Amino acid sequence: MELRHLRYFVTIAEEQSLTRAAARLHIAQPPLSAQLRKLETELGTNLVHRTARGAQLTEAGKVLLEEARRILHEVEQAGRMTREVGSGLVGRLALGFIPSASNAVLPPMLRRFKAEYPDVTLHLQEMRPDEIVDRLHDRRIDAGLFYLPFEDPALHVRPVAEESLLLALPATHRLADRERVRLDEVSDEPFILPARHGSMPGLYAIVVEACERAGFTPRVVQRDVWLMQTIVGLVAGGMGVAVVPASMRSLQRAGAVFLTLSDVGERAQTAISWRRGSTPPVLRSFLDIVTGSSSGVGPDE
């Protein structure tokens, strides 16, 4: 039994006439009658009574009609779902991200992706950058967002956003009333530095480089603070000063102020990373959203 036999039979049942069914199917009536006889022979029972008034279903034919419609619907649905998965319209995407990505970088990505691909299930996991890399290698996530710099020959790494750096000060600091400041004006202040995670210097390297370019090595009072929100909280508590991405200003933490750094050209770059090799369609769809109108990523990249 072939699917075309079922389609022929359903059309005959709906038209109640072999002549009209043949016209609808755009085939001659004799071949259609032959296909019906072949189906009846295979099933070992009559499906249609041929009468002067047309074609009437037997009891066996009525049973087959119900099942044939169900089968054809399921085949059509399977084909549609397969095409949608192949084109990245449906599926599941596991994304790891550093907490600070949720302040400015991640939300617009998610809004646009969900608007264009509502049938993709997103599994979002907040984690340290080194965990993101480990889980990419272990195939436990599909992509990850973290700060540059970072290199790994087994992974694609592509910048997707960048932001300027601000100086976070306690609200009681002598410079708190200023709008702009040079970084070397706080060279003697205690600094709170972000964490460096293994081989991923990330924002730590950017901050240290900015200080060194300003002519000093930061005097660290608190290092290896993972969460940017925690760094701002420590600043608000008077523990020291910190250089943070501009998106931290949106936290509006009482006791902390943010000043523009007039002499700092370094910028915090957020990148997306994914495994080299075969790229699933749903990940390609996400990369198109994240990196622009077209990621240029082929299925085997």
Side-chain angles (χ1 to χ4, degrees):
M1 186 187 302
E2 300 177 20
L3 288 176
R4 64 188 177 95
H5 294 148
L6 295 180
R7 293 191 180 97
Y8 291 166
F9 172 72
V10 170
T11 305
I12 293 170
E14 291 175 347
E15 294 295 335
Q16 297 183 359
S17 165
L18 269 74
T19 302
R20 290 194 298 271
R24 177 174 156 186
L25 292 166
H26 304 290
I27 61 176
Q29 181 177 332
L32 179 59
S33 297
Q35 294 296 332
L36 176 59
R37 287 194 299 272
K38 183 178 180 181
L39 181 59
E40 290 177 324
T41 299
E42 183 175 346
L43 294 176
T45 186
N46 291 334
L47 300 172
V48 175
H49 287 308
R50 287 87 165 168
T51 69
R53 300 176 56 186
Q56 303 296 319
L57 294 183
T58 64
E59 289 301 316
K62 292 176 182 178
V63 171
L64 179 61
L65 177 60
E66 182 178 343
E67 292 301 313
R69 282 172 168 164
R70 179 184 60 81
I71 290 169
L72 292 174
H73 173 73
E74 290 180 353
V75 169
E76 180 183 356
Q77 186 178 41
R80 185 179 67 253
M81 291 179 63
T82 300
R83 288 190 295 272
E84 289 176 345
V85 170
S87 62
L89 293 174
V90 300
R92 179 183 182 276
L93 182 71
L95 177 68
F97 63 94
I98 56 174
S100 54
S102 63
N103 292 322
V105 176
L106 188 58
M109 293 179 182
L110 297 180
R111 283 195 298 269
R112 185 178 170 195
F113 185 73
K114 291 304 293 181
E116 296 192 24
Y117 301 94
D119 294 323
V120 173
T121 300
L122 284 172
H123 183 57
L124 305 174
Q125 299 174 268
E126 187 178 75
M127 58 186 74
R128 299 193 315 268
D130 55 329
E131 288 181 305
I132 292 175
V133 172
D134 289 343
R135 295 192 185 194
L136 282 172
H137 285 303
D138 294 342
R139 296 183 173 274
R140 287 183 286 171
I141 60 174
D142 300 301
L145 291 166
F146 48 70
Y147 287 124
L148 294 177
F150 174 73
E151 292 183 2
D152 187 319
L155 300 175
H156 289 287
V157 180
R158 186 170 298 181
V160 294
E162 66 175 28
E163 52 188 316
S164 59
L165 299 176
L166 302 177
L167 181 66
L169 294 174
T172 56
H173 194 276
R174 57 184 173 83
L175 300 175
D177 292 335
R178 299 260 296 273
E179 292 186 1
R180 303 173 65 87
V181 67
R182 297 190 319 275
L183 188 55
D184 61 6
E185 291 184 76
V186 291
S187 59
D188 294 330
E189 300 284 347
F191 268 76
I192 302 167
L193 292 184
R196 173 174 181 148
H197 300 279
S199 62
M200 304 186 69
L203 197 59
Y204 171 91
I206 297 172
V207 172
V208 170
E209 180 180 350
C211 292
E212 292 177 347
R213 195 181 296 273
F216 70 96
T217 299
R219 180 168 62 88
V220 181
V221 65
Q222 187 73 43
R223 67 175 69 246
D224 295 333
V225 182
W226 173 36
L227 297 174
M228 296 305 302
Q229 296 91 324
T230 303
I231 290 178
V232 175
L234 294 177
V235 169
M239 292 293 296
V241 303
V243 176
V244 299
S247 57
M248 291 299 106
R249 177 175 274 159
S250 64
L251 294 179
Q252 297 181 340
R253 179 66 63 87
V257 297
F258 300 92
L259 308 184
T260 299
L261 286 165
S262 59
D263 60 337
V264 173
E266 287 81 3
R267 300 177 68 84
Q269 282 192 310
T270 302
I272 188 166
S273 181
W274 68 99
R275 286 180 296 277
R276 295 187 181 274
S278 179
T279 303
V282 69
L283 177 55
R284 291 202 304 273
S285 297
F286 186 74
L287 293 172
D288 286 345
I289 294 293
V290 170
T291 61
S293 58
S294 176
S295 65
V297 177
D300 298 322
E301 293 188 54

